[in-house]
């Protein structure tokens, strides 16, 4: 049974070729390991590699890391850690996908060389320097609205598969170094390949993403909070769960306005778009009740 008082959360990925006929065995083994050891969360396998975010108590997460290293036969897979007082996941999901990160470009498979990876320290120094540069956020609008690096360009994409489209219509001056980043580093691995196919060679990515940077530089050049894909919604500079943002029950996107539900008294967040029409309720279930019976009688 899973009953951690502090949840240890970790995310990781590795591009590594997996034979197609091995995928379902890996899926079954991973599912069994997680279930047995009280590890919750989402792990994806594809022919191009593995990607996941999981949570559990500390010993379980330590054991999980060892397991991933031996399962993938790669002890240099790095893990980005944070904690949460509430469970960030409620179940075990292990899925097979066409890609471990959805650029819809299966032809772009990152090489193992990582010359273009900057450590948090190298990235921090680059941000501090006055050299001409472009810093581009490769994440989606609902993520960048929660926070981004100081001075970074927000391409305002709704989905990572629009990255190519964005590059198509954007002029990137030649000779100027481009610095790209995302949550944990995985999207940049593909974003950089897409840039290279368009002739941009002078591109660097933040290794281990914002989560890796905040672990070393909580008071650095990152402004706001960092959106994460679990129930915490976002983490702050100290990698603690957000108290500023939630998920809007109307549209499922990031929301900043806090309300109390008229039917069940739960606190909830609603986004500016849904606020005028959604009603003072925390969920679809409460909305049904509210529409049929009106506000809860005191
Ligand atoms: Zn909404
Ligand atoms: Zn409610």
């Amino acid at each position: 049974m899973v009953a951690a008082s502090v949840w240890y959360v970790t995310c990781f990925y590795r591009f590594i070729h997996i034979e197609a006929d091995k995928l379902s065995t890996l899926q079954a083994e991973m599912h069994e390991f997680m279930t047995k050891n009280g590890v919750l969360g989402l792990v994806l396998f594809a022919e191009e590699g593995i990607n996941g975010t999981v949570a559990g108590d500390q010993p379980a997460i330590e054991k999980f890391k060892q397991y991933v290293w031996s399962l993938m036969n790669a002890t240099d897979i790095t893990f980005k850690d944070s904690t949460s007082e509430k469970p960030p996941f409620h179940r075990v999901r292990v899925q097979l996908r066409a890609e471990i990160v959805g650029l819809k470009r299966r032809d772009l498979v990152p090489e193992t060389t990582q010359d273009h990876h900057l450590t948090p320290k190298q990235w921090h120094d680059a941000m501090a320097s006055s050299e001409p540069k472009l810093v581009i956020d490769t994440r989606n609008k609902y993520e960048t609205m929660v926070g981004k690096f100081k001075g970074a360009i927000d391409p305002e994409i709704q989905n990572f598969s629009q990255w190519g489209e964005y590059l198509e219509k954007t002029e990137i001056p030649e000779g100027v170094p481009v610095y790209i980043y995302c949550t944990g580093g995985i999207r940049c691995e593909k974003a950089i390949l897409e840039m290279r196919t368009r002739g941009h060679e002078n591109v660097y990515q933040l290794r281990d993403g914002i989560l890796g940077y905040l672990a070393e530089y909580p008071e650095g050049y990152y402004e706001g909070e960092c959106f994460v894909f679990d129930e915490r919604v976002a983490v702050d500079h100290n990698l603690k769960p957000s108290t500023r943002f939630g998920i809007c029950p109307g549209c499922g996107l990031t929301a900043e306005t806090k309300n109390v539900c008229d039917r069940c008294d739960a606190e909830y967040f609603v986004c500016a778009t849904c606020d005028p029409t959604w009603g003072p309720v925390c969920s679809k279930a409460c909305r049904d009740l509210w529409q049929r019976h009106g506000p809860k009688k005191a």
Side-chain angles (χ1 to χ4, degrees):
M1 257 336 275
V2 179
S5 58
V6 175
W7 292 81
Y8 287 78
V9 190
T10 198
C11 71
F12 66 100
Y13 69 88
R14 171 51 59 90
F15 286 96
I16 187 169
H17 180 68
I18 302 173
E19 299 296 334
D21 59 2
K22 298 224 173 84
L23 287 169
S24 47
T25 312
L26 286 172
Q27 180 187 26
E29 282 180 18
M30 175 60 80
H31 196 280
E32 193 190 339
F33 179 90
M34 289 172 69
T35 309
K36 251 191 203 159
N37 290 282
V39 177
L40 303 179
L42 174 63
V43 176
L44 305 177
F45 286 103
E47 283 177 53
E48 66 181 11
I50 180 172
N51 178 19
T53 305
V54 300
D57 65 16
Q58 194 173 21
I61 292 304
E62 287 315 312
K63 202 168 161 191
F64 178 85
K65 292 177 182 177
Q66 303 283 344
Y67 176 70
V68 169
W69 285 332
S70 75
L71 185 72
M72 304 312 292
N73 198 13
T75 49
D76 56 347
I77 295 177
T78 56
F79 291 87
K80 277 79 71 181
D81 298 328
S82 53
T83 56
S84 178
E85 268 143 44
K86 282 191 268 174
F89 298 101
H90 295 291
R91 55 202 181 107
V92 175
R93 284 189 301 158
V94 184
Q95 298 178 348
L96 304 185
R97 295 269 175 91
E99 297 173 292
I100 54 172
V101 57
L103 187 59
K104 302 205 174 105
R105 289 289 304 270
R106 289 182 67 182
D107 54 314
L108 297 178
V109 178
E111 322 114 47
T112 42
T113 56
Q114 302 188 329
D115 311 342
H116 58 279
H117 281 204
L118 300 184
T119 64
K121 164 107 176 67
Q122 289 168 323
W123 177 273
H124 186 77
D125 292 347
M127 295 300 111
S129 115
S130 58
E131 62 158 1
K133 60 178 169 288
L134 281 183
V135 184
I136 309 178
D137 195 313
T138 66
R139 299 171 306 153
N140 304 318
K141 186 70 204 156
Y142 63 83
E143 299 171 83
T144 55
M145 64 176 280
V146 173
K148 63 187 184 67
F149 271 98
K150 191 172 181 224
I153 297 164
D154 178 3
E156 308 212 347
I157 54 179
Q158 308 300 323
N159 188 297
F160 187 45
S161 61
Q162 293 170 352
W163 175 246
E165 229 169 274
Y166 164 73
L167 293 175
E168 196 66 57
K169 57 172 203 243
T170 307
E171 196 136 338
I172 295 176
E174 253 178 71
V176 178
V178 181
Y179 296 89
I180 61 172
Y181 67 92
C182 60
T183 316
I186 184 170
R187 275 178 276 184
C188 288
E189 301 265 11
K190 286 207 170 177
I192 215 162
L193 296 181
E194 180 90 48
M195 294 187 79
R196 291 219 181 109
T197 63
R198 287 158 204 272
H200 306 297
E201 290 299 331
N202 203 2
V203 187
Y204 304 91
Q205 77 162 89
L206 173 55
R207 170 186 299 171
D208 298 334
I210 300 160
L211 296 176
Y213 180 80
L214 288 177
E216 289 184 37
Y217 294 97
E219 304 301 329
Y221 291 95
Y222 190 80
E223 298 177 329
E225 299 193 337
C226 176
F227 187 94
V228 291
F229 295 86
D230 59 59
E231 302 231 341
R232 295 171 298 170
V233 182
V235 294
D236 66 16
H237 278 202
N238 299 307
L239 301 172
K240 294 277 183 287
S242 179
T243 52
R244 274 180 56 197
F245 296 97
I247 291 292
C248 174
C251 63
L253 297 178
T254 322
E256 201 174 0
T257 305
K258 207 184 238 184
N259 277 336
V260 174
C261 178
D262 233 357
R263 288 296 315 184
C264 76
D265 295 330
E267 275 195 345
Y268 71 100
F269 288 86
V270 64
C271 82
T273 312
C274 297
D275 200 8
T277 52
W278 170 256
V281 283
C282 72
S283 63
K284 291 207 165 72
C286 281
R287 193 166 191 248
D288 282 350
L289 292 170
W290 182 75
Q291 283 173 335
R292 276 189 277 144
H293 308 293
K296 192 179 80 172
K297 303 277 182 313

